[in-house]
Amino acid sequence: LLGLIRTQELLAARRIDGAEQFFTRANDFGFSKGPDETLKIWNRDKILSDVVWVIRKFRPDVMICRFPTTGEGGHGHHTASAILAQEAFTAAADPKRYPEQLKYVQPWQAKRLLLNGFNFGGANTTTNSQLKIDVGVFNPLLGKGYGEIAAESRSNHKTQGFGTAAQRGQAFEYFRLILGDAVQNDLMDGVNTTWTRVKGGAAIATGIEAIKKSFDDEHPEKSVPALVALLGQVEKTQDTYWRELKTKELSELIAACSGLWAEGYVSEPTYAVGDDMNISLQMIKRYSSNISFQGYSTNASPETVSNTNALPENQVTSVGFKMKADKISQPYWLESPHPIGTYTINDETKVGNPENPDAPMVTFNFLIDGRTISLNRKLMYKYVDPAKGEIYQPVEITPPVTANIANKVYIFSKQLSAPQTVQVSLKSFVVGSGSVSLQPLAGWKISPEKISFTGKKKGDEWTADFTVTAADNNPKTSTITAVAEINGRTSSMGILRIQYDHIPHITLFPPAQTKLVNIDLITKGNKKIGYIAGAGDQVPDDLKQIGYDVHLLSENEIMNTDLSGYDAIVTGVRAYNVDDRLVVEQPGVLEYVKNGGNLMVQYNNNNGIRVNPGPYPFRPVNQRVTDEFARVTFLLPESPVLTYPNKINQSDFDGWVQERGLYFVSNIDPKYQTPLQMNDPGEAPNNGSLIVTDYGKGRFVYTSLAFFRQLPAGVPGAYRLFVNLLSKP
């Protein structure tokens, strides 16, 4: 979900700086210390093929790496990107590498590959011997310096906290040659950037110069005849790449100079697949240019619909028609299940695209000065918000009915022999009747088999409850799927919407699935937990699933009420980083421990902790174990946290996701016990993932283990260990 948001933030940045954005199928699977782990999880050959595809399709003259191959970029993903860039620089030019791509593109050799050096985070990859370029130049046509443009672009990355002040004045960037031709004065040394690189391009260059010299900025329409004639020359160019690229650019330039504007809209924000969408095309010419509307086509129906109509000056012309919603608007990289490191892309030609290239689109055909000019426009839903004005959003094309299961995981145990209620939230996008069921699953009892519904209207929402019971012989973990049927059409998709003001709305349709996990789990005590919220996690809901009564504690309750009724108090992840009031609340929390309570503090990072979370000193540091398969050594196998009420063993660390833990602690006071030890390959053993001490009559626990990832994923051993940390004997 964060990846979907950041995709749109990247596109928002590109709209500021004018660059083009491409993607491979690689998934940001979490922090990786080195490229070896990254390239193994990513599937190195597949990602390399994607990079080669983009190079062959985009045909860059110069390639630049942001990070070096030697690790100064800090993140294994960063280093891996540089390694792949070096391989792809050569592989893209080799017809023997990925020959299946050559049905669509040709081999391409960029002239050089460079590293854009940097000096931050204690790493300096720049030297005065490198090519040095002043990027703090002022552009008088734009009225901005490139440092100002860069700041506007970067500030679109809101979820990463990348807002930055505008930089004005001289600023240098450094470049070191990695592969290819030497560079002396400029990144484009030796690269022909004129039209003479294209056969027959000299005449086109002459025409461009004439148009530039005669351009009248108060009457741009005067340049239209010459631009149309120039388009005729460009369309005759034999080089397919430049012909297609420059025809598109020149068509938009002709429209701009002739005062022509055209857009297409759907009448509703959401349609079910198979429905007719009501489309409205609007167009206007602002100058006295001779422009006629010839007709339109869509990517769903490429045949042109003729509609010859001379456009009146400065008056909006509208054309309406219907178009089938022929494909669910799921992001193409989420259409199929995928492993942890890479998305599954069914159509390889879509690789590189940040959005679905086959999203609903209309092509306008205009006759301008005797030549057909085609303009492509995405079909959007447009409406007016009283506070924000005119808003454009992508059109949603949905299944006829969606089914969202309330929880991602349902936990069962022999001690909690009661069944679980699996609630399915349904939404209809058509008028009709049908039913919903959970697919039968060996080892589980589901009641009822099916729940019917009738007379639903478009937009109706309702819920259906199923009772699921674990049978004695059921497997430990199973995936169950909801199947919704309406008017004879079935769907096993949910719907999820992500909506922020700074990016277009995002809609995706995740599988209507949940995990059923049966755990050998023992819980003790009255199971009343006080929870102090941190930066945000799902742990309270996960604890409720296994029978705990979880209450979110307010500052008033911590400061002014008797906390002794809680079996344990837990702080959410990064609570001591984000909650300023814990400085004030901490004495009351430690008094609770001193009087016999059990306090469990989940991980905090090493920045901005205003008070020591424990009764004795320790310090979170930027040390982690990112290998989720790393062996765990029990230093104190008889410690209560490893034996009560569940006997923890090596198998309890099987199936962990993404990592073991992060921001382990160091400088640990001798009064703390360290029951566990672990490390990533090639690193020294680390005992900072879990520390425990008695304090007064109570117990204090601090853990950097990534429970906030494991519990929502339904990892059995993580539940067993977490329960132990809650359960003071």
Side-chain angles (χ1 to χ4, degrees):
L1 304 183
L2 189 59
L4 288 163
I5 295 169
R6 289 184 174 174
T7 296
Q8 291 300 325
E9 289 180 338
L10 281 160
L11 292 176
R14 298 296 78 80
R15 286 190 286 273
I16 297 294
D17 60 36
E20 295 188 53
Q21 185 73 52
F22 302 104
F23 288 84
T24 69
R25 75 191 76 200
N27 182 14
D28 180 351
F29 56 82
F31 186 84
S32 178
K33 289 180 179 177
D36 291 344
E37 180 194 32
T38 298
L39 293 171
K40 180 181 177 182
I41 293 175
W42 271 358
N43 185 334
R44 181 179 189 144
D45 188 66
K46 274 293 185 186
I47 307 307
L48 177 61
S49 76
D50 291 350
V51 181
V52 168
W53 166 261
V54 169
I55 291 171
R56 287 172 170 174
K57 193 174 181 183
F58 187 63
R59 292 168 58 172
D61 290 307
V62 174
M63 294 169 54
I64 303 173
C65 290
R66 168 75 280 192
F67 299 103
T69 60
T70 45
E72 291 91 338
H75 195 315
H77 295 184
H78 297 166
T79 305
S81 74
I83 292 171
L84 291 170
Q86 290 198 24
E87 292 185 27
F89 178 83
T90 303
D94 185 351
K96 296 178 182 178
R97 301 295 300 273
Y98 311 109
E100 68 280 0
Q101 297 179 359
L102 303 184
K103 292 184 292 183
Y104 310 99
V105 292
Q106 297 300 314
W108 181 256
Q109 179 63 72
K111 195 168 189 68
R112 62 179 58 94
L113 174 68
L114 302 146
L115 168 67
N116 178 200
F118 56 84
N119 184 4
F120 62 81
N124 184 0
T125 63
T126 68
T127 66
N128 287 327
S129 63
Q130 296 172 356
L131 174 66
K132 185 171 69 171
I133 294 177
D134 182 5
V135 297
V137 180
F138 180 75
N139 187 317
L141 293 178
L142 299 176
K144 294 178 181 178
Y146 292 106
E148 295 172 284
I149 297 169
E152 289 181 34
S153 172
R154 183 180 174 89
S155 295
N156 279 285
H157 298 280
K158 300 185 186 302
T159 58
Q160 292 186 274
F162 276 0
T164 185
Q167 297 180 7
R168 298 174 179 88
Q170 189 178 71
F172 289 99
E173 290 288 339
Y174 295 80
F175 300 88
R176 174 169 61 84
L177 182 70
I178 300 173
L179 294 169
D181 291 359
V183 58
Q184 297 294 329
N185 303 307
D186 186 82
L187 293 173
M188 304 297 281
D189 276 356
V191 178
N192 183 358
T193 61
T194 74
W195 268 98
T196 59
R197 71 186 292 169
V198 178
K199 185 178 180 180
I204 295 174
T206 301
I208 291 172
E209 287 303 312
I211 293 169
K212 286 168 66 177
K213 286 180 180 178
S214 64
F215 184 74
D216 183 345
D217 57 2
E218 292 189 2
H219 293 281
E221 73 277 9
K222 291 181 179 179
S223 294
V224 169
L227 287 169
V228 170
L230 186 70
L231 178 62
Q233 291 179 278
V234 170
E235 288 178 337
K236 294 176 183 176
T237 302
Q238 294 180 5
D239 188 313
T240 304
Y241 174 83
W242 289 110
R243 182 177 69 244
E244 292 179 354
L245 177 64
K246 294 302 175 181
T247 295
K248 179 181 176 182
E249 292 179 352
L250 193 49
S251 296
E252 293 292 345
L253 181 57
I254 291 169
C257 287
S258 60
L260 177 62
W261 170 91
E263 287 185 344
Y265 317 105
V266 295
S267 61
E268 298 178 36
T270 304
Y271 294 89
V273 65
D275 281 357
D276 284 330
M277 299 189 294
N278 293 315
I279 309 297
S280 176
L281 306 183
Q282 291 188 332
M283 61 210 89
I284 186 174
K285 68 169 187 178
R286 276 69 168 251
Y287 304 134
S288 58
S289 308
N290 182 19
I291 303 176
S292 294
F293 176 56
Q294 288 187 306
Y296 63 88
S297 61
T298 68
N299 53 349
S301 178
E303 290 187 10
T304 299
V305 177
S306 298
N307 194 335
T308 304
N309 188 3
L311 296 183
E313 187 173 340
N314 210 29
Q315 296 180 38
V316 174
T317 297
S318 297
V319 174
F321 65 96
K322 292 184 183 295
M323 172 181 169
K324 283 286 183 189
D326 64 339
K327 187 176 181 183
I328 294 171
S329 54
Q330 178 84 304
Y332 71 89
W333 60 94
L334 296 179
E335 290 174 350
S336 299
H338 63 88
I340 185 174
T342 55
Y343 295 108
T344 300
I345 297 180
N346 300 317
D347 181 353
E348 298 276 333
T349 63
K350 292 182 179 179
V351 167
N353 287 286
E355 297 181 292
N356 289 2
D358 54 359
M361 182 179 293
V362 63
T363 299
F364 291 79
N365 294 320
F366 296 98
L367 190 66
I368 302 178
D369 274 29
R371 180 171 290 277
T372 298
I373 307 294
S374 297
L375 304 176
N376 295 324
R377 297 290 184 264
K378 265 188 181 179
L379 290 171
M380 304 290 285
Y381 173 65
K382 185 175 76 169
Y383 66 98
V384 176
D385 181 277
K388 301 171 186 174
E390 193 172 68
I391 305 291
Y392 290 78
Q393 294 295 351
V395 58
E396 293 179 340
I397 301 178
T398 72
V401 60
T402 56
N404 287 53
I405 301 178
N407 296 329
K408 293 182 179 179
V409 176
Y410 288 87
I411 304 297
F412 298 80
S413 73
K414 291 181 180 179
Q415 186 188 31
L416 302 170
S417 57
Q420 290 268 32
T421 298
V422 176
Q423 186 174 86
V424 183
S425 297
L426 296 119
K427 182 166 185 174
S428 178
F429 294 91
V430 296
V431 176
S433 303
S435 65
V436 61
S437 61
L438 298 181
Q439 283 185 341
L441 201 59
W444 302 90
K445 297 178 181 177
I446 303 168
S447 178
E449 291 184 5
K450 182 171 70 173
I451 298 175
S452 299
F453 54 84
T454 58
K456 298 301 180 182
K457 300 186 292 295
K458 183 175 181 177
D460 281 356
E461 298 183 47
W462 69 102
T463 60
D465 291 347
F466 294 88
T467 300
V468 177
T469 308
D472 290 340
N473 61 343
N474 70 299
K476 287 188 175 181
T477 301
S478 302
T479 299
I480 196 166
T481 302
V483 180
E485 175 269 323
I486 190 167
N487 301 341
R489 301 165 66 190
T490 60
S491 169
S492 290
M493 290 181 168
I495 186 169
L496 180 58
R497 293 184 169 107
I498 303 172
Q499 297 184 353
Y500 291 99
D501 283 347
H502 70 293
I503 55 175
H505 292 173
I506 301 167
T507 306
L508 64 154
F509 305 95
Q513 294 178 334
T514 187
K515 284 204 298 188
L516 309 178
V517 181
N518 197 24
I519 302 175
D520 182 10
L521 180 69
I522 301 171
T523 57
K524 294 288 187 180
N526 63 20
K527 295 186 283 189
K528 186 175 181 182
I529 305 297
Y531 206 88
I532 300 174
D537 57 63
Q538 299 177 34
V539 171
D541 290 335
D542 299 326
L543 295 179
K544 291 174 185 177
Q545 280 230 33
I546 55 174
Y548 282 93
D549 175 12
V550 184
H551 175 72
L552 293 178
L553 288 170
S554 67
E555 180 179 341
N556 179 61
E557 290 171 311
I558 294 170
M559 301 287 289
N560 300 309
T561 64
D562 181 7
L563 301 176
S564 62
Y566 292 102
D567 266 14
I569 292 177
V570 181
T571 67
V573 299
R574 303 204 309 277
Y576 286 83
N577 296 126
V578 300
D579 188 349
D580 294 340
R581 303 303 297 168
L582 272 171
V583 175
V584 180
E585 298 164 7
Q586 183 71 2
V589 174
L590 288 181
E591 188 68 18
Y592 156 79
V593 180
K594 195 173 183 179
N595 292 332
N598 185 36
L599 174 63
M600 176 184 172
V601 177
Q602 296 185 82
Y603 98 94
N604 295 269
N605 67 35
N606 57 338
N607 293 317
I609 295 182
R610 296 169 179 82
V611 62
N612 179 24
Y616 311 115
F618 63 88
R619 185 165 62 91
V621 292
N622 191 8
Q623 295 175 359
R624 59 182 82 199
V625 174
T626 62
D627 183 355
E628 60 267 42
F629 304 103
R631 180 172 176 79
V632 178
T633 300
F634 294 5
L635 299 178
L636 300 171
E638 300 307 316
S639 168
V641 297
L642 300 179
T643 58
Y644 179 85
N646 301 284
K647 179 68 173 176
I648 303 301
N649 55 56
Q650 283 294 334
S651 67
D652 287 305
F653 289 93
D654 292 343
W656 283 49
V657 298
Q658 189 159 326
E659 59 197 345
R660 290 291 192 206
L662 63 171
Y663 292 100
F664 287 17
V665 296
S666 67
N667 300 94
I668 303 168
D669 189 281
K671 295 185 180 68
Y672 290 104
Q673 293 183 331
T674 56
L676 300 177
Q677 181 177 279
M678 61 193 74
N679 57 274
D680 277 324
E683 296 187 357
N686 191 315
N687 65 353
S689 65
L690 176 63
I691 61 174
V692 185
T693 188
D694 292 330
Y695 180 64
K697 299 177 182 178
R699 183 175 76 181
F700 172 83
V701 176
Y702 186 98
T703 180
S704 299
L705 294 169
F707 287 111
F708 71 102
R709 299 196 195 282
Q710 313 312 319
L711 299 189
V715 177
Y719 273 92
R720 284 165 45 83
L721 179 55
F722 200 94
V723 165
N724 282 15
L725 301 182
L726 297 178
S727 307
K728 186 170 84 69

